[in-house]
Amino acid sequence: AALIARRAPVWRFEFTDRGAPMLGVALPRSPDPGFEIGAGHSAELNYLFPRFSNTSRIDGPDLTGASAELARRMAEMLGSFARDGRPVAAGLPDWRPGEPLRLEAGRIAAFDPDADHHCAFWRRLY
């Protein structure tokens, strides 16, 4: 991302709504894996495209509560980005290119992914 950001603005985000619908949307409802999946790959698509289908047989559910509010804020940012080239929304932090934003139900805020994901530890191993 850093290499690309030198040539064009890049907005980084981490989608972390642990209540994101996954079983029956991105993954089959059965068999249940037996553990919390959390916000898996492509889970944010149902937030930007209501009732999004990953397959022709599975439709995403309607979102409720904090997840529905997160979806509304994400759509506001995406609309702003399409209209003005900057993903902004009222009441949210100023999101500058290259500065990661964490999108989670009940909270949208800047964060340090290197610290949060212990990247220094992993860099020492590889």
Side-chain angles (χ1 to χ4, degrees):
L3 179 63
I4 294 169
R6 286 187 219 139
R7 296 178 179 232
V10 174
W11 282 268
R12 298 169 48 197
F13 72 91
E14 180 175 272
F15 178 79
T16 62
D17 186 357
R18 298 191 77 69
M22 291 295 295
L23 294 179
V25 179
L27 300 169
R29 190 168 303 283
S30 175
D32 186 324
F35 55 87
E36 182 182 328
I37 296 173
H41 179 67
S42 80
E44 75 280 4
L45 295 178
N46 194 51
Y47 289 62
L48 296 170
F49 307 102
R51 303 198 56 75
F52 174 78
S53 293
N54 274 345
T55 73
S56 60
R57 299 178 304 154
I58 302 174
D59 289 330
D62 292 327
L63 299 171
T64 60
S67 293
E69 176 60 18
L70 177 58
R72 188 186 70 73
R73 303 310 300 268
M74 289 171 62
E76 189 178 347
M77 289 187 295
L78 182 62
S80 169
F81 184 73
R83 183 181 56 250
D84 304 322
R86 288 196 41 91
V88 297
L92 294 182
D94 182 29
W95 190 10
R96 290 182 224 113
E99 294 181 1
L101 203 63
R102 176 170 287 146
L103 308 175
E104 62 184 310
R107 184 167 188 254
I108 297 176
F111 78 110
D112 180 352
D114 282 353
D116 282 18
H117 299 297
H118 310 286
C119 291
F121 168 79
W122 295 108
R123 281 189 195 103
R124 280 195 309 270
L125 295 178
Y126 299 99

